[in-house]
Amino acid sequence: MKKISIVLLAVAMLFAFASCANNSSIPEGWNIGVRVGQHKAGYSEDYGNWKFAEAELNGNIITVKADLESMNTYASSVSSQGSAKWLALLIDTGETDLTKVKYNGEALDSTAANEYKDLKAADDTDAKSSELVLWIKADDAAYSNGGRSIKFSKENAEDVFLTITVEDTTPDVFALHSDYDVIDGKVNKYQDVTVSDDGTVSGTIKYATANGFNNEEPAQNAGYYFCFDVNSEKVASVKSSLNGENAKPYTSNDGSNEFMFWLGSDAAKAKDVTLTITLEEETSTFKTVNFSGVTFEAKK
């Protein structure tokens, strides 16, 4: 992959240039801009990571907003660079002949200056001759911890210092709720609980009797029942299981991303409940729900 081996020279310099003084504005003689780039050769070159990112310039700060969880990790053709969630940035310098520009003190050769020909922007418009192609490891913690700095230089202009930061915009895949009045409006009579962000359930679950709740399984009409509502921000199907056993899928009939299912909490008294969400064709475990702090009030 020629694009990786060429531009990673710049990335290596970028990493070495992790801290330098930043100007609060862009000096005269420069016309700086930034866009997310995609490779014209397609998925085999950039693994579609551009679909999950956007970039903006404010002053001398480049902010990349990226759904890191959705981005793919792949290896550079330069073995020393390793694997990462590589992302191409098109950084506009305003200088149409990039061989006149120095990047972190090093002049760009004709190969690096013409890298733009292999890319286009996320909106499918062609990259410009004034745009430097810079590949970054979007999942490098340094980008979210103060950022990394780069410098552009050319004759008859002050140096430009830019800081590149990455903001992880991966959405919460689901939120858990337990505030639904169902089973003839009596469910909240039998449970007084909260679910924290880390999946810990606290409070009291009482033994409930709800005749007619489950006509298919009459034996389930009584017991310790707990209602989860899973509100997904992505197209998803939901699966619940007890430590991976007896996984049962739940899907929404109306195409929404909201799912509601019941957990017989008798089993939860002895085990954590692992909730698994299947997103498209990938399955990941996102939350373990822990009932260890719940008081189960027995039938009187």
Side-chain angles (χ1 to χ4, degrees):
M1 294 186 293
K2 186 176 73 171
K3 68 177 182 69
I4 292 291
S5 62
I6 292 171
V7 185
L8 285 185
L9 175 61
V11 174
M13 292 187 291
L14 171 68
F15 292 171
F17 204 81
S19 62
C20 66
N22 290 323
N23 295 334
S24 59
S25 60
I26 305 300
E28 292 184 5
W30 297 94
N31 184 17
I32 302 297
V34 63
R35 301 189 290 173
V36 171
Q38 58 173 307
H39 205 284
K40 290 181 179 179
Y43 187 87
S44 63
E45 294 294 327
D46 60 25
Y47 286 74
N49 282 347
W50 59 273
K51 297 179 181 179
F52 305 106
E54 58 184 31
E56 60 184 20
L57 176 71
N58 291 298
N60 64 330
I61 306 296
I62 292 175
T63 301
V64 177
K65 297 181 179 181
D67 178 354
L68 294 179
E69 186 175 297
S70 296
M71 294 174 71
N72 290 295
T73 299
Y74 62 98
S76 163
S77 60
V78 180
S79 59
S80 62
Q81 297 296 333
S83 297
K85 295 179 183 290
W86 292 105
L87 179 69
L89 298 180
L90 301 174
I91 303 181
D92 199 345
T93 65
E95 178 59 62
T96 56
D97 182 0
L98 285 177
T99 61
K100 297 179 179 179
V101 175
K102 290 183 178 181
Y103 176 82
N104 288 353
E106 297 289 335
L108 298 175
D109 61 22
S110 61
T111 304
N114 286 290
E115 183 75 14
Y116 76 93
K117 295 179 180 178
D118 294 332
L119 281 89
K120 57 183 178 179
D123 63 2
D124 288 330
T125 58
D126 287 337
K128 299 182 292 185
S129 62
S130 58
E131 289 179 315
L132 170 71
V133 179
L134 181 65
W135 293 84
I136 67 169
K137 292 181 175 181
D139 54 339
D140 185 340
Y143 287 112
S144 59
N145 186 23
R148 292 190 179 276
S149 296
I150 62 175
K151 180 179 71 171
F152 289 133
S153 307
K154 66 178 180 179
E155 292 184 0
N156 302 319
E158 293 182 24
D159 293 347
V160 174
F161 294 92
L162 302 173
T163 298
I164 302 174
T165 65
V166 174
E167 176 185 337
D168 186 1
T169 58
T170 301
D172 290 334
V173 176
F174 62 84
L176 294 176
H177 307 282
S178 178
D179 53 2
Y180 279 78
D181 289 305
V182 289
I183 307 187
D184 298 326
K186 296 180 180 179
V187 64
N188 286 335
K189 175 181 178 181
Y190 297 114
Q191 55 179 295
D192 181 15
V193 298
T194 59
V195 183
S196 64
D197 290 340
D198 65 2
T200 299
V201 182
S202 58
T204 301
I205 297 179
K206 300 179 181 181
Y207 189 92
T209 301
N211 293 330
F213 163 55
N214 191 338
N215 293 324
E216 295 180 359
E217 300 286 345
Q220 295 183 6
N221 286 329
Y224 295 103
Y225 287 110
F226 183 77
C227 175
F228 282 116
D229 175 72
V230 176
N231 185 16
S232 173
E233 296 187 21
K234 295 183 177 181
V235 175
S237 62
V238 176
K239 215 177 252 189
S240 73
S241 64
L242 298 177
N243 287 357
E245 301 172 0
N246 302 319
K248 181 178 180 180
Y250 295 81
T251 56
S252 172
N253 294 326
D254 59 5
S256 70
N257 291 339
E258 187 172 81
F259 308 83
M260 186 168 68
F261 57 91
W262 288 82
L263 170 72
S265 298
D266 293 332
K269 293 168 70 173
K271 296 182 178 181
D272 289 347
V273 179
T274 299
L275 297 182
T276 301
I277 285 187
T278 301
L279 299 176
E280 297 175 349
E281 295 181 355
E282 297 179 3
T283 301
S284 300
T285 298
F286 289 94
K287 193 171 298 254
T288 297
V289 182
N290 187 336
F291 283 81
S292 61
V294 170
T295 298
F296 291 88
E297 188 173 305
K299 180 180 179 181
K300 296 180 180 179

